[in-house]
């Protein structure tokens, strides 16, 4: 799975690697898994367009190709560069978030995009990566004793909640929750005591009735409908009911590729984005669903293996953080379409049609690969070479 | 280094913990997938099909209605409708404006479309107007390019080519009302019509046929994607009637403007050849939609054009009832045919004087003369001897006092009163005088033309309980099969009694002095035997009798007598019976008998023409040996 280390003299001088060494280290099997998952997406988008490359499949393939290129570029760049500029990226992402809040393009009833002309930029996606980088940097520089001090945890908490609140205001409950949850995982991995999590989670649960007041009407409705979808079978519960029908009617082996009647006849809402898993599972059945789940699990395993192999805490945290974010993406999405969690707008990673999510995810995996390539480079507290 | 090593171990430990958590959650996903796609798969598969498949009904063409010779009485016509599909128009109002320059669209239609367009999905065609003329269709088609979203659609509507002729028998079709729903899914179709009145109603189920289905694949908003399967329905059964519309036409013409009813039936089979009720109406006008004025005219006309008087109009049978009185007495052996009664113009019962229609009296009368002269005094005496109950019993045997059972809706029962009936209906005891009055078909006795024709048929066929019908085939719910040669039950009336009564009827129209002698048929082999009747509808006062009873033409229409005549023919081997009732027509001999004669000549002429063409003939007529 993971390549043996190259027998090069640079092993003695781990701080510096030649470009040739780095290229030798490119993890092709990881890219293969990514490509396999993306291919499932292409095929499903092709089917969603009734057997046509337009309007989705071609664009998605181009994005994936560009994304893989960017991913390799990111992987080539020294991990220390990413660490050194982690806070800068965070600052940029934060400013962009504030910008959409001030003057965002209105779309889907929510302010989520900045129109840069050539791309619809979604700053919350950038923030997902930037937050992991900056939290990893913060905890990288912290000793075990420091992490034990509650005051030490206040800056990263602000780092998490400031963007999370902005995203929630857009409103984008799904992304806000993902920011908080993936950060939580990072805190955990950094070694924050478990009892502190217990306290925070208990406190959060206690705050639910208060938070309820701040939810938008449609968000409240979504939660209520989730708790009892039959309440509103033709309204807000329609999505989830139809999704379950399409998925369930797929059965063990599915209705066959391009034969999904429910999605074909538009009973399935947003079949090319958030509900693409339903469409896939209708056509490929439980077997197809399990294969896809297996591919995701494999990708996750790569992330874990890389994280554990990393010599630096920064690399470990980044690799694990990206893997966890990725996990949250596909878990929330699939659990949502299966009616296990409320309907929140989270795409199925690498498969749902959409540009920013695809790019940010591949950039994320580029960072993971960078952590792999530079796994043996010791990084000082300030982001330099050996301590 | 040691320091970082420590962190690394902590990291690995915690990574494993989190990985365990993630694995658990993924296990939950897999379990959920298993639950939805394996355990609940069948349920969702059914729901998915329900989602996708929509079944629409196809209305079969309604069965035709034909007369006994194949003349079309009810057919289906193309009904061109202009429809508009809202989503294909730039603006509904724009399209309607454009359309209204080409064909007329009422304000009511416009309002209805605007109301409907809000309720329906935008791709559902909305009917703008129905029953377009061919010219209007052409105008719309020519301008199709300027009328986006406008489509012409062809449905079917009922058309009655004979118009008012036979309208009462046919009935009409119209939309299903709430309380008429029978569960046939066809009734749910918009624009579906069911039979109302006449054979359209009584054989509605057979005429409807069976619906077909079109299985369509629809998407989430109900738009049709394609047709998956099409099962054509079965068209309705074509209904052949026993009526002869040529005769019907003749009868209607012969009745002219009178408010009258004529029934001609086959005394052996019960086939009704003619059933005319005048004045009539055009059932097509119901399809077109009646204006208020037209409806008012039809519903308030004193000659009630909407009523089928042949089965729905009850009249005092008058003297046509006398055969039954005679039969009751003969059968009870309370009289002999030779018994004579002296008619002085009136008879006395207690303190009340009962008059004969002939003021100066008929002199001595036996049975044949009593019938021939329609002598009231003779029948008063007969009734006095036999008593009223036996007369009522005989009347019921011959089909009076209850619906004949003809296959038409709205048949009236008429009244054959007796003591029990009077007590129940009027809470009064029976007066002996009423026996006399009712015995000559006055008083409470009422009957329909159909009942009188049936009565005459039963007398002429030798006492068999023939039942009239208008459908040639035996029609059950949705099938038709040929009627078998009927074997009617016997009425248990002796042939001798019937023969004596028929002898009297023969005398009525064939012996000089008979009340219908002037209306006799002289053509050989077509002779008819009959009985006149003039039913009083007003009370003649003592004072009027002293000053002279007013003639019918001196009276307002409503006070004139009903003119009646019943007969059968041909005399030698009877085949047809007829009943004519002309409401407020005057005397039976002067008004009703000539009508009956003319119609019966026509009937027999057609019969002879047919026999000449096909010498087979039917031999189900029992041998009726004459005295």
């Amino acid at each position: 799975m993971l390549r043996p280390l190259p027998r090069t003299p640079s092993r003695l001088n781990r701080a510096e690697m030649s470009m040739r060494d780095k290229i030798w280290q490119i993890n092709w099997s990881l890219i293969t898994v990514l490509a396999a998952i993306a291919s499932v997406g292409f095929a499903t988008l092709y089917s969603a367009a009734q057997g046509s490359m337009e309007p989705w499949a071609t664009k998605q393939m181009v994005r994936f190709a560009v994304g893989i290129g960017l991913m390799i570029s990111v992987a080539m760049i020294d991990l220390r560069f990413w660490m050194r500029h982690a806070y800068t990226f965070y600052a940029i992402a934060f400013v962009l978030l504030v910008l959409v809040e001030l003057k965002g393009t209105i779309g889907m009833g929510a302010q989520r995009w900045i129109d840069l002309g050539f791309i619809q930029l979604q700053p919350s996606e950038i923030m997902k990566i930037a937050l992991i980088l900056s939290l990893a940097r913060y905890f990288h520089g912290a000793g075990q004793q420091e992490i034990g001090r509650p005051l030490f945890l206040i800056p990263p908490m602000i780092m998490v909640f400031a963007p999370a609140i902005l995203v929630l205001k857009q409103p984008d409950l799904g992304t806000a929750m993902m920011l908080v949850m993936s950060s939580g995982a990072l805190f955990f991995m950094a070694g924050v005591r478990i009892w502190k999590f217990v306290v925070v989670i208990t406190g959060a649960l206690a705050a639910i009735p208060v938070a309820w007041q701040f939810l938008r009407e449609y968000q409240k409705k979504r939660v209520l409908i989730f708790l009892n979808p039959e309440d509103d079978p033709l309204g807000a519960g329609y999505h989830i009911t139809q999704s379950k029908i399409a998925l369930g009617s797929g059965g063990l082996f599915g209705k066959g590729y391009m034969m999904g009647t429910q999605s074909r006849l538009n009973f399935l809402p947003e079949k090319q984005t958030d509900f693409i898993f339903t469409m896939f599972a209708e056509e490929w059945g439980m077997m197809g669903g399990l294969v896809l789940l297996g591919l995701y699990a494999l990708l996750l395993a790569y992330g874990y293996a890389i994280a554990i192999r990393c010599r630096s805490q920064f690399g470990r945290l980044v690799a694990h953080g990206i893997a966890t974010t990725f996990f949250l993406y596909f878990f929330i999405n699939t659990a949502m379409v299966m009616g296990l969690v409320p309907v929140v707008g989270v795409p199925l990673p690498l498969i749902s049609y959409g540009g920013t999510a695809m790019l940010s995810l591949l950039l994320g995996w580029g960072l993971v690969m960078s952590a792999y390539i530079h796994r043996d480079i010791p990084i000082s507290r300030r982001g330099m070479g050996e301590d | 280094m040691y320091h970082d090593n420590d962190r690394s171990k902590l990291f690995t430990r915690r990574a494993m913990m989190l990985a365990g958590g993630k694995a658990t959650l993924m296990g939950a996903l897999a379990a959920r997938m298993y639950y939805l796609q394996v355990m609940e798969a069948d349920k969702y598969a059914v729901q998915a099909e329900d989602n996708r498949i929509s079944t629409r009904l196809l209305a079969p063409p309604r069965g035709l209605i034909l007369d006994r010779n194949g003349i079309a009485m009810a057919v289906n016509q193309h009904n061109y409708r202009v429809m508009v599909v809202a989503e294909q128009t730039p603006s509904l109002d724009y399209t309607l404006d454009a359309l209204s320059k080409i064909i007329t669209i009422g304000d009511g239609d416009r309002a209805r479309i605007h109301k409907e367009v809000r309720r329906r999905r935008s791709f559902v065609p909305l009917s703008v107007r129905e029953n377009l003329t061919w010219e209007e269709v052409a105008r719309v088609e020519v301008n199709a390019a300027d009328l986006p979203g406008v489509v012409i659609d062809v449905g079917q509507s009922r058309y009655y080519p004979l118009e008012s002729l036979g309208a009462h028998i046919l009935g009409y079709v119209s939309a299903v009302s709430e309380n008429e729903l029978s569960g046939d899914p066809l009734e749910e179709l918009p624009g579906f019509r069911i039979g109302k009145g006449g054979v359209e109603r009584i054989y509605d189920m057979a005429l409807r046929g069976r619906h077909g289905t079109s299985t369509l694949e629809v998407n989430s908003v109900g738009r049709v994607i394609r047709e998956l399967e099409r099962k054509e329905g079965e068209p309705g059964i074509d209904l052949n009637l026993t009526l002869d519309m040529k005769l019907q036409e003749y009868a209607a013409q012969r009745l002219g403007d009178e408010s009258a009813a004529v029934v001609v039936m086959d005394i052996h089979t019960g086939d009704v050849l003619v059933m005319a009720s005048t004045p009539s109406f055009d059932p097509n006008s119901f399809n077109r939609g009646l204006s208020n004025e037209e409806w008012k005219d039809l519903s308030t006309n004193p000659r009630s054009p909407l009523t089928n008087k042949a089965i729905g109009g009850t009249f005092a049978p008058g003297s046509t009832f006398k055969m039954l009185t005679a039969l009751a007495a003969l059968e009870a052996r309370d009289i002999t045919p030779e018994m004579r009664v002296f008619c002085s113009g009136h008879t006395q019962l207690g303190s009340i004087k009962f008059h004969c229609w002939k003021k100066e009296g008929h002199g001595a009368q036996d049975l044949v003369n009593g019938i021939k002269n329609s002598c009231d005094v003779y029948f008063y005496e007969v009734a006095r001897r036999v008593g009223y109950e036996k007369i009522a019993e005989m009347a019921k045997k011959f089909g009076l006092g209850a619906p004949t059972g003809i296959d038409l809706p709205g048949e009236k029962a008429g009244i054959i009163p007796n003591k029990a009936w009077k007590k129940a209906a009027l809470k009064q005891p029976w007066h002996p005088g009423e026996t006399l009055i009712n015995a000559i078909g006055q008083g409470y006795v009422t009957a329909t033309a159909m009942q009188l024709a049936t009565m005459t048929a039963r007398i002429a066929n030798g006492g068999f309980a023939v039942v009239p019908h208008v459908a040639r085939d035996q029609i059950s719910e949705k099938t038709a099969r040929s009627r078998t040669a009927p074997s009617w039950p016997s009425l248990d009336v002796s042939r001798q009694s019937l023969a004596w009564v028929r002898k009297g009827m023969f005398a009525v129209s064939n012996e000089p002095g008979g009340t219908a002698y002037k209306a006799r048929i002289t053509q050989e082999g077509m002779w008819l035997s009959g009985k006149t009747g003039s039913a009083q509808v007003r009370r003649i006062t003592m004072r009027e009798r002293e000053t002279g009873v007013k003639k019918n033409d001196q009276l307002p229409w409503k006070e004139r007598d009903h003119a009646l005549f019943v007969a059968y023919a041909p005399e030698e081997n009877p085949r047809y019976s007829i009943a004519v009732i002309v409401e407020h027509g005057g005397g039976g001999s002067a008004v009703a008998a000539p009508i009956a004669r003319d119609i019966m000549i026509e009937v027999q002429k057609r019969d002879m023409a047919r026999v000449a063409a096909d010498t087979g003939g039917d031999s189900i007529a029992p041998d009726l040996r004459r005295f």
Side-chain angles (χ1 to χ4, degrees):
Chain A
M1 190 166 93
L2 296 176
R3 290 169 169 280
L5 294 175
R7 300 160 305 277
T8 53
S10 63
R11 193 154 165 68
L12 296 172
N13 182 11
R14 292 172 209 132
E16 300 307 325
M17 286 173 78
S18 69
M19 191 49 86
R20 202 175 141 269
D21 290 341
K22 288 184 182 182
I23 290 172
W24 194 245
Q25 286 293 308
I26 290 174
N27 197 329
W28 290 105
S29 49
L30 176 65
I31 292 173
T32 307
V33 178
L34 286 170
I37 295 172
S39 301
V40 169
F42 305 149
T44 313
L45 288 173
Y46 180 79
S47 171
Q50 320 252 335
S52 162
M53 295 301 289
E54 303 304 328
W56 301 309
T58 311
K59 273 195 194 166
Q60 188 81 343
M61 286 164 104
V62 169
R63 281 174 191 154
F64 182 71
V66 171
I68 287 292
L70 280 172
M71 174 188 164
I72 291 171
S73 313
V74 167
M76 293 292 115
I77 295 168
D78 198 308
L79 196 59
R80 283 166 293 186
F81 171 86
W82 298 115
M83 183 173 159
R84 225 173 288 133
H85 296 99
Y87 292 153
T88 319
F89 296 137
Y90 179 87
I92 292 169
F94 193 81
V95 168
L96 288 175
L97 265 183
V98 175
L99 271 179
V100 281
E101 183 60 33
L102 293 177
K103 178 181 172 288
T105 306
I106 306 291
M108 307 285 285
Q111 292 185 324
R112 288 179 196 179
W113 296 280
I114 284 184
D115 196 347
L116 294 181
F118 63 97
I119 190 169
Q120 302 267 328
L121 201 63
Q122 203 171 333
S124 57
E125 289 291 337
I126 300 171
M127 182 49 92
K128 279 177 197 159
I129 310 280
L131 185 58
I132 288 166
L133 280 176
S134 48
L135 284 176
R137 175 172 178 176
Y138 187 82
F139 285 120
H140 174 83
Q144 199 65 35
Q145 290 79 15
E146 282 174 302
I147 285 169
R149 290 206 310 268
L151 273 181
F152 182 78
L153 294 179
I154 288 175
M157 297 269 272
I158 292 169
M159 239 187 275
V160 174
F161 283 108
I165 287 166
L166 278 175
V167 170
L168 196 60
K169 273 197 78 179
Q170 284 181 351
D172 187 349
L173 181 63
T175 305
M177 275 169 59
M178 279 186 59
L179 285 174
V180 173
M181 285 195 286
S182 56
S183 306
L186 252 145
F187 276 63
F188 181 76
M189 296 309 298
V192 175
R193 293 286 181 167
I194 291 172
W195 67 264
K196 285 177 181 154
F197 286 94
V198 175
V199 168
V200 170
I201 290 168
T202 314
L205 287 176
I208 283 177
V210 183
W212 183 252
Q213 314 290 320
F214 291 99
L215 286 182
R216 303 264 171 130
E217 209 44 53
Y218 85 96
Q219 289 166 330
K220 286 184 190 175
K221 208 171 158 193
R222 274 188 183 176
V223 176
L224 290 176
I225 298 288
F226 162 70
L227 294 173
N228 192 6
E230 275 73 32
D231 266 3
D232 188 12
L234 291 175
Y238 177 81
H239 287 196
I240 197 63
T241 308
Q242 290 298 339
S243 177
K244 275 156 75 176
I245 289 173
L247 211 126
S249 64
L252 195 54
F253 297 105
K255 292 176 184 166
Y257 184 52
M258 310 257 292
M259 311 265 270
T261 57
Q262 301 304 293
S263 33
R264 179 113 323 140
L265 301 170
N266 280 325
F267 286 103
L268 207 56
E270 299 171 50
K271 57 172 184 265
Q272 78 280 15
T273 58
D274 290 358
F275 282 85
I276 198 165
F277 182 77
T278 310
M279 188 178 170
F280 174 75
E282 189 194 3
E283 296 189 347
W284 298 91
M286 184 186 161
M287 287 307 163
L290 287 182
V291 167
L292 187 59
L293 215 56
L295 284 173
Y296 280 131
L298 196 58
L299 205 56
L300 216 54
Y302 268 104
Y304 268 82
I306 289 168
I308 288 165
R309 288 283 297 276
C310 266
R311 190 167 168 186
S312 63
Q313 179 75 342
F314 179 74
R316 286 195 290 257
L317 288 176
V318 166
H320 189 271
I322 297 290
T324 300
T325 301
F326 193 79
F327 168 80
L328 286 172
Y329 263 107
F330 81 74
F331 176 76
I332 292 176
N333 180 275
T334 48
M336 166 185 91
V337 301
M338 287 189 239
L340 281 175
V341 301
V343 174
V344 286
V346 173
L348 188 62
L350 300 176
I351 292 182
S352 283
Y353 180 78
T356 324
M358 168 80 84
L359 286 178
S360 69
L361 280 163
L362 287 175
L363 284 179
W365 283 105
L367 289 172
V368 173
M369 213 195 275
S370 176
Y372 173 68
I373 290 169
H374 306 97
R375 62 189 175 280
D376 284 328
I377 294 172
I379 305 175
S380 74
R381 280 193 166 205
R382 285 171 292 109
M384 303 314 286
E386 189 79 53
D387 275 26
Chain B
M1 264 325 279
Y2 170 73
H3 175 75
D4 205 332
N5 222 1
D6 213 28
R7 283 213 298 196
S8 176
K9 273 186 189 155
L10 175 81
F11 182 90
T12 307
R13 201 167 60 236
R14 290 207 162 180
M16 288 309 141
M17 284 167 72
L18 265 188
K22 286 171 189 171
T24 310
L25 287 176
M26 284 173 77
L29 286 181
R32 179 69 171 173
M33 250 188 263
Y34 177 78
Y35 174 75
L36 291 176
Q37 299 191 288
V38 177
M39 290 170 71
E40 299 263 87
D42 292 343
K43 178 182 119 187
Y44 287 120
V46 169
Q47 289 187 6
E49 280 298 287
D50 285 353
N51 253 347
R52 178 171 85 94
I53 305 295
S54 160
T55 302
R56 306 219 171 146
L57 292 182
L58 301 172
R62 194 171 174 85
L64 306 180
I65 303 175
L66 310 159
D67 92 333
R68 69 184 301 126
N69 298 314
I71 295 173
M73 298 175 69
V75 296
N76 301 311
Q77 240 186 1
H78 286 316
N79 169 15
Y80 291 96
R81 287 177 290 209
V82 59
M83 320 274 274
V84 61
V85 184
E87 72 169 6
Q88 290 167 11
T89 65
S91 132
L92 189 62
D93 274 314
Y94 168 82
T95 304
L96 289 179
D97 284 340
L99 196 57
S100 60
K101 283 176 195 146
I102 298 166
I103 59 168
T104 49
I105 300 170
D107 290 339
D109 285 328
R110 229 166 216 267
R112 177 182 50 77
I113 294 161
H114 276 287
K115 218 166 89 185
E116 260 181 75
V117 78
R118 265 177 268 130
R119 275 184 319 178
R120 305 291 191 108
R121 294 193 185 270
S122 60
F123 55 84
V124 176
L126 302 170
S127 170
V128 178
R129 244 198 63 198
E130 305 221 354
N131 296 314
L132 294 182
T133 64
W134 182 239
E135 202 201 323
E136 285 173 316
V137 172
R139 257 183 285 166
V140 172
E141 294 288 3
V142 163
N143 292 288
D146 305 327
L147 296 167
V150 173
V151 279
I152 298 280
D153 179 68
V154 193
Q156 289 204 314
S157 70
R158 204 63 157 163
Y159 178 65
Y160 303 99
L162 303 182
E163 294 176 349
S164 65
L165 205 60
H168 296 107
I169 307 154
L170 289 169
Y172 60 99
V173 292
S174 84
V176 195
S177 72
E178 199 69 38
N179 51 10
E180 285 166 330
L181 293 174
S182 70
D184 186 340
L186 276 175
E187 289 159 0
E188 310 286 335
L189 282 177
F192 188 75
R193 305 280 161 98
I194 61 165
K196 308 245 176 131
V199 289
E200 289 274 32
R201 175 165 147 204
I202 207 117
Y203 294 120
D204 187 48
M205 280 299 177
L207 287 165
R208 272 185 209 183
R210 259 183 263 260
H211 65 83
T213 51
S214 161
T215 309
L216 300 168
E217 185 173 60
V218 295
N219 71 3
S220 57
V221 287
R223 188 198 302 274
V224 176
I225 305 298
R226 64 194 162 123
E227 190 172 56
L228 299 172
E229 197 191 358
R230 190 183 179 88
K231 260 195 292 194
E232 293 294 341
E234 274 173 45
I237 288 167
D238 286 346
L239 191 61
N240 294 291
L241 299 185
T242 59
L243 284 120
D244 184 327
M245 292 318 283
K246 285 268 191 265
L247 290 176
Q248 179 89 7
E249 185 179 21
Y250 179 83
Q253 272 168 10
R254 186 64 186 80
L255 292 173
D257 296 336
E258 301 278 10
S259 173
V262 172
V263 172
V264 177
M265 65 184 273
D266 186 307
I267 62 168
H268 304 303
T269 62
D271 283 4
V272 176
L273 280 88
V274 175
M275 179 161 60
S277 172
T278 54
S280 186
F281 63 96
D282 183 356
N284 295 309
S285 60
F286 284 84
N287 247 2
R288 282 195 297 268
L290 286 174
S291 69
N292 279 342
E293 223 161 286
E294 284 174 299
W295 173 247
K296 218 175 138 191
D297 276 356
L298 282 175
S299 56
T300 60
N301 189 328
R303 300 187 181 208
S304 49
L306 293 174
T307 310
N308 182 357
K309 295 189 187 77
I311 57 169
T314 55
F315 305 88
S319 301
T320 59
F321 188 81
K322 285 175 180 165
M323 279 85 80
L324 300 171
T325 305
L327 280 172
L330 286 169
E331 284 296 287
R333 302 190 187 287
D334 287 327
I335 60 163
T336 61
E338 296 83 12
M339 181 197 82
R340 282 166 184 267
V341 172
F342 185 80
C343 169
S344 62
H346 63 86
T347 189
Q348 199 84 24
L349 185 73
S351 59
I352 310 168
K353 217 177 193 179
F354 289 85
H355 293 269
C356 185
W357 65 270
K358 196 173 182 185
K359 207 176 168 189
E360 54 277 21
H362 288 99
Q365 301 282 297
D366 62 5
L367 176 73
V368 171
N369 278 317
I371 295 174
K372 174 187 165 187
N373 298 320
S374 199
C375 175
D376 294 334
V377 169
Y378 176 83
F379 284 96
Y380 293 151
E381 181 56 30
V382 172
R384 200 155 20 178
R385 292 187 181 210
V386 66
Y388 186 72
E389 291 298 325
K390 281 185 183 157
I391 297 173
E393 214 176 285
M394 191 58 71
K396 284 175 181 163
K397 267 191 181 181
F398 279 81
L400 273 56
T404 60
I406 190 170
D407 45 352
L408 284 172
E411 192 185 9
K412 288 265 170 66
I415 299 166
I416 294 300
N418 61 10
K419 278 179 196 167
W421 172 85
K422 196 179 176 195
K423 203 156 180 215
L426 306 173
K427 307 206 172 0
Q428 282 169 9
W430 188 262
H431 296 299
E434 286 171 340
T435 300
L436 308 195
I437 293 297
N438 286 297
I440 61 160
Q442 299 277 166
Y444 302 114
V445 184
T446 59
T448 65
M450 185 56 68
Q451 284 172 334
L452 294 179
T454 305
M455 171 193 84
T456 311
R458 290 177 182 187
I459 291 169
N461 73 10
F464 292 93
V466 61
V467 172
H469 57 87
V470 294
R472 281 187 88 173
D473 296 322
Q474 206 115 44
I475 311 280
S476 63
E477 185 100 316
K478 292 205 165 163
T479 59
R481 61 189 167 83
S482 300
R483 273 182 204 277
T484 47
S487 59
W488 308 110
S490 168
L491 295 170
D492 267 330
V493 179
S494 73
R495 286 188 166 198
Q496 284 87 346
S497 304
L498 286 168
W500 276 112
V501 168
R502 282 203 299 267
K503 202 170 176 184
M505 291 172 76
F506 178 79
V508 167
S509 50
N510 294 292
E511 285 176 16
T515 52
Y517 182 68
K518 282 179 191 157
R520 70 189 179 280
I521 293 178
T522 52
Q523 284 96 325
E524 197 54 47
M526 288 193 191
W527 291 6
L528 95 143
S529 303
K531 180 75 197 76
T532 54
S534 304
Q536 246 171 249
V537 292
R538 66 198 175 98
R539 195 176 181 85
I540 298 172
T541 58
M542 291 302 283
R543 235 185 96 204
E544 197 184 330
R545 285 198 191 278
E546 282 156 21
T547 55
V549 177
K550 279 185 191 155
K551 293 270 188 255
N552 268 306
D553 35 353
Q554 298 171 310
L555 291 166
W557 183 71
K558 273 279 179 192
E559 289 182 20
R560 295 181 196 169
D561 295 345
H562 297 319
L564 297 100
F565 191 69
V566 300
Y568 60 85
E571 171 55 32
E572 296 74 28
N573 187 10
R575 174 84 196 263
Y576 305 105
S577 72
I578 186 170
V580 177
I581 298 177
V582 182
E583 197 179 10
H584 307 298
S589 55
V591 176
I595 293 172
R597 174 199 59 200
D598 293 347
I599 293 171
M600 281 304 241
I601 290 171
E602 222 38 55
V603 170
Q604 294 182 78
K605 266 193 201 161
R606 284 179 68 78
D607 206 22
M608 283 183 163
R610 205 177 301 125
V611 170
D614 168 30
T615 38
D618 56 6
S619 55
I620 53 165
D623 175 33
L624 296 168
R625 208 164 53 79
R626 295 208 47 76
F627 279 75

